[in-house]
Amino acid sequence: MRWARLAVGTFGYGAFGIAVNLIAFSSASGSTMILAPLILLAIATATLVVYYSLSWRFHTKSRRITGRIITPPLQSIVLLAATSWDTGMTDEAAVNFSNSIAYPSTVIERITESVEPMTRSVRVESTYSYRFSSSGTTAVVPTDLVKRGVLRDGLKFFDHEDRRLSSLPNTRAAGYILSVIRRLLKQAGGTALVQFQTLDASGHSTELSLAALLVSTKPVEDSKVIDLTDAVALLPTTVNGGRLLLSINKMIRVIAGEYPLLVVAGKPPEQLDGTGTFRIRLIYRLIPDRYFVKVTGSGTNKRLWAEWLQGIPRRYLGIPPTSIAHELKNASRTASFHANIKGPERTYLGRQRVVNWPSNVDVDLSSNQYAMRRRLGQRHAHLYFSGTNDLRDSYYECTFFERVPGSVGQAALASLASTILLVIATIDHLGYTQLNKTDILAVLLALPAIAGTWLGLSQNDTISGPTVAARVSSIVTLATSLLGAWFYSVLPSFVSSAENGGVHGPASVASDPTHLTDRPWQWAWILVCGLAAGNLIGILTCWFFRSMVQAQFTGRTELT
C-alpha cells in the first residue's frame, strides 16, 4: 500500500506539472496542439484523486494487532481466590469491600477530581477518602470504576504520604472479589456457599459463571447478568442472609459493566472511634469523549447542531476547543464530591453547566445539594455535590475564554498595519498625483502578511491556541496584503494611465466623477482595500467585545 501510494503520487504530480507547462507553452506560442496537454492534465488530475484517496485510507485506517486473546482458565481464578485470599479474608473486610462497591457513599467520604488540559487529552487527579471499620488486616480498596475494554493511560496510585501503591492485576482482582463473595455467602448461613460452588450435570456452577464475568474484557450481556443475579437470589440462607444476597447482586450488577481498580492500601491507622481512614490518590490521562462535538441520531437539539457547526472551523483550522467536559459518574459514589477544572494558560472561565450526553440538554439539579464557584475571571472552575442522585451520562462542561488582548489583539495589530499600507497604496495608484515610484511599498505590503501568519497561525501554544476570529482575521490579512503587493507591482496607476493617452487626465478628473469606468482594473484596489477595512473593523469589534466581557467578570465579587 505504501509503495503503491508513493508511485501513484509521484506520477500524478509529475504529469500535472508537465501538462501545465505544455499548456502554458502552447498558449504563449499560439500553437493549436493543445488537446494532448489537456488529456494529460485530465489523467494527472484523476491520478491525484486516487493518490489522495489512498493517502486518506493509509493514514486513517485502524491498525489492530492480530492474535488470540488468552483468557486464563476459570479454575485457576477460583484456585487463586481460595489459596491467596480466603485464608486472610475476614467478615469485616468482606463487608467493607462489598459496601464500597454496592453502597459506596457509606464508605467513601470524599472524592476530589482535578482536571487539567493537555494537548489532546486531559490529566485527571482523583483523591479518594475512605472510612470504615478497621479489620486489622491489609486492606484492598476499590478506587475508580472503568468500563470494560477501556484502558487508562499513565495510571499511578499514591497513598496519603505520596508513596507509590500497586494496583492488583485483573486475575488477582477477580480472585479477591470472588473471595469476598465467598465470605459473604458464608456469613449468610445455610447452604448458600455450598450450592454456589456445586457443579451441575454439565459441569457449570454459579461460581464459575461469576468467575467468567469477572475476567471478561468486554461488557457482559444483560441476559447473563440477570441469570447470574437470579441464581444468587435463590441461594438458601438464614433469616438475616437476604440482606447480604442483595449486596452481592448489587455488586455483580456494578462490576458487570465496569471493573474496579483495586489497590492494596496497607493497614489503616487506628482512631479513637475504632474506624480506619484511607486516602488514595490516582493520576491518569484521559481522552475525553466531548473533545469535539459530534452529532449522532435524529433527536439532537438545535444547540448541539450549533456547537457542531462552530466546531467545523476549529477542526480544519487546527484550533483546540475552548470547552472541557468532565464526566460526573463518581458524584453519586460519595457523600462529598468536588470537581475542579483548570483552563489552559491565559484563559478565564466563561461558561459552566451540567449537561447530559449525548442529548446536550442541561441537567435539572434542583433536587440535588450542589454549589458552583462563581465566574470571577479566574482560570479554574469548582463544582460541589453532597449526597447527589445518579449523574451517569452527565458532564460538568466548562468553557474558557482567552484573556485580552491575546491572539485577537495580535491579529488586530497586523490587520491595522495591512490596512494603513493598503490605503496608502490605493491613494498612490488612484490619486491625482503619484509618489516616487519605488518597490519599498510593495515590500511593506507583504510585511503584515508575514506578521499575520506568525501571530495568528503559529502553533507555539498547542493547548489553548488562537481564537477562531484571530485565525480567520490573520488569513484575511495574509490574503489582502499579498494581493496589495501584487496589484502594486502589476496594475498601472492613474497618472501613468493618463500619461499613456488615457481618456481621463489629471485635469479632467474633477469634472468627471465617473472616471473609474474607463479603468475597471482599478476597482481591484477599492475591493481589496474595502476587504481589509472590513477585516479590521471586525477584529477590532471582537477585541472590544471580549474586553467588555472580561471586565464584567473581573469586576464581580463573590457575593455581588
Side-chain angles (χ1 to χ4, degrees):
M1 173 65 74
R2 178 179 298 178
W3 292 107
R5 182 176 62 89
L6 293 177
V8 171
T10 302
F11 173 79
Y13 280 114
F16 190 86
I18 294 174
V20 171
N21 288 330
L22 289 177
I23 292 174
F25 176 77
S26 300
S27 301
S29 61
S31 175
T32 59
M33 301 297 294
I34 198 173
L35 180 61
L38 289 177
I39 295 176
L40 181 60
L41 181 63
I43 295 175
T45 303
T47 304
L48 289 178
V49 171
V50 174
Y51 167 72
Y52 285 117
S53 301
L54 292 175
S55 299
W56 176 264
R57 183 180 179 184
F58 177 79
H59 290 293
T60 60
K61 182 180 179 181
S62 299
R63 295 175 174 81
R64 297 182 179 180
I65 300 176
T66 58
R68 298 178 59 188
I69 299 177
I70 302 175
T71 303
L74 302 182
Q75 290 79 3
S76 65
I77 301 296
V78 177
L79 181 62
L80 176 65
T83 57
S84 180
W85 299 113
D86 284 353
T87 55
M89 182 67 64
T90 63
D91 293 346
E92 204 168 14
V95 171
N96 287 335
F97 184 86
S98 65
N99 287 339
S100 61
I101 295 291
Y103 311 100
S105 60
T106 62
V107 175
I108 305 177
E109 286 190 330
R110 179 193 298 265
I111 297 179
T112 302
E113 295 182 339
S114 301
V115 182
E116 186 173 357
M118 302 176 71
T119 303
R120 173 60 178 89
S121 59
V122 294
R123 179 183 182 272
V124 182
E125 180 176 339
S126 301
T127 303
Y128 290 75
S129 299
Y130 304 84
R131 180 185 294 272
F132 43 69
S133 301
S134 173
S135 61
T137 60
T138 300
V140 177
V141 294
T143 55
D144 199 11
L145 298 176
V146 183
K147 294 181 180 179
R148 294 189 177 274
V150 176
L151 298 177
R152 283 287 169 83
D153 298 329
L155 187 61
K156 300 178 183 179
F157 295 91
F158 302 89
D159 62 5
H160 63 284
E161 296 180 352
D162 282 340
R163 293 176 299 188
R164 287 291 298 271
L165 299 175
S166 298
S167 60
L168 293 180
N170 189 27
T171 53
R172 284 183 57 81
Y176 186 85
I177 296 173
L178 192 58
S179 178
V180 167
I181 294 177
R182 281 183 174 184
R183 193 72 185 189
L184 294 176
L185 292 176
K186 187 176 181 180
Q187 293 182 55
T191 59
L193 180 59
V194 175
Q195 291 199 17
F196 178 72
Q197 296 175 322
T198 301
L199 299 176
D200 57 15
S202 60
H204 295 284
S205 66
T206 306
E207 185 177 51
L208 291 177
S209 299
L210 178 58
L213 182 149
L214 294 176
V215 297
S216 175
T217 57
K218 297 180 179 179
V220 184
E221 299 177 2
D222 293 338
S223 59
K224 294 182 179 180
V225 177
I226 294 174
D227 293 341
L228 184 58
T229 53
D230 289 345
V232 172
L234 295 176
L235 293 175
T237 62
T238 59
V239 177
N240 298 326
R243 180 180 57 83
L244 294 176
L245 294 184
L246 290 176
S247 298
I248 293 174
N249 277 339
K250 190 167 185 179
M251 186 165 55
I252 290 174
R253 284 191 290 268
V254 172
I255 296 175
E258 299 173 310
Y259 66 92
L261 300 175
L262 304 187
V263 178
V264 181
K267 295 182 179 180
E270 298 293 336
Q271 293 188 345
L272 296 178
D273 57 358
T275 61
T277 58
F278 295 87
R279 190 172 71 249
I280 297 176
R281 182 169 59 93
L282 64 150
I283 300 174
Y284 59 92
R285 293 190 304 273
L286 178 68
I287 299 179
D289 298 333
R290 296 202 58 195
Y291 194 85
F292 284 120
V293 176
K294 298 179 181 178
V295 177
T296 57
S298 58
T300 54
N301 57 15
K302 295 181 179 179
R303 186 169 185 174
L304 185 60
W305 278 104
E307 291 186 16
W308 178 74
L309 291 175
Q310 292 174 6
I312 292 178
R314 292 187 173 275
R315 285 194 295 270
Y316 295 105
L317 293 178
I319 302 174
T322 58
S323 297
I324 300 175
H326 182 62
E327 192 174 5
L328 299 176
K329 64 176 184 177
N330 288 329
S332 58
R333 297 183 60 213
T334 178
S336 178
F337 176 81
H338 297 262
N340 297 283
I341 297 182
K342 188 176 183 181
E345 294 284 349
R346 298 184 295 277
T347 62
Y348 65 94
L349 179 63
R351 288 193 298 265
Q352 57 181 342
R353 62 176 183 147
V354 177
V355 60
N356 181 267
W357 179 253
S359 65
N360 204 44
V361 176
D362 291 352
V363 178
D364 183 13
L365 300 177
S366 58
S367 60
N368 296 277
Q369 185 177 353
Y370 76 100
M372 286 185 182
R373 169 67 65 184
R374 199 177 185 207
R375 296 170 297 171
L376 303 174
Q378 77 278 14
R379 183 184 163 193
H380 68 278
H382 186 187
L383 174 64
Y384 163 75
F385 280 107
S386 177
T388 183
N389 300 325
D390 189 10
L391 290 176
R392 290 183 179 274
D393 298 326
S394 298
Y395 289 78
Y396 181 35
E397 183 184 68
C398 299
T399 302
F400 295 88
F401 297 161
E402 184 186 44
R403 295 188 183 275
V404 293
S407 60
V408 173
Q410 297 171 349
L413 294 178
S415 177
L416 177 62
S418 174
T419 304
I420 292 175
L421 291 175
L422 283 172
V423 169
I424 295 175
T426 302
I427 294 174
D428 183 37
H429 268 59
L430 301 184
Y432 309 149
T433 60
Q434 188 176 21
L435 303 176
N436 294 330
K437 186 64 177 178
T438 177
D439 292 332
I440 188 62
L441 188 58
V443 176
L444 292 177
L445 283 171
L447 290 181
I450 301 173
T453 304
W454 176 256
L455 298 176
L457 303 179
S458 63
Q459 299 260 359
N460 293 334
D461 193 351
T462 56
I463 295 180
S464 60
T467 63
V468 176
R471 182 150 290 186
V472 172
S473 176
S474 298
I475 293 175
V476 175
T477 300
L478 172 66
T480 54
S481 299
L482 293 180
L483 282 175
W486 182 58
F487 290 164
Y488 190 84
S489 302
V490 174
L491 296 182
S493 65
F494 174 75
V495 175
S496 62
S497 177
E499 291 175 351
N500 294 329
V503 177
H504 298 286
S508 61
V509 171
S511 61
D512 188 359
T514 61
H515 62 280
L516 287 176
T517 57
D518 293 323
R519 296 176 289 109
W521 61 87
Q522 298 294 359
W523 280 102
W525 278 111
I526 298 178
L527 292 177
V528 73
C529 191
L531 180 60
N535 178 47
L536 176 61
I537 294 173
I539 196 64
L540 288 178
T541 303
C542 180
W543 189 354
F544 174 76
F545 177 77
R546 288 176 176 271
S547 300
M548 295 295 294
V549 172
Q550 181 175 327
Q552 175 69 18
F553 285 134
T554 55
R556 292 177 176 177
T557 62
E558 185 67 30
L559 300 178
T560 59

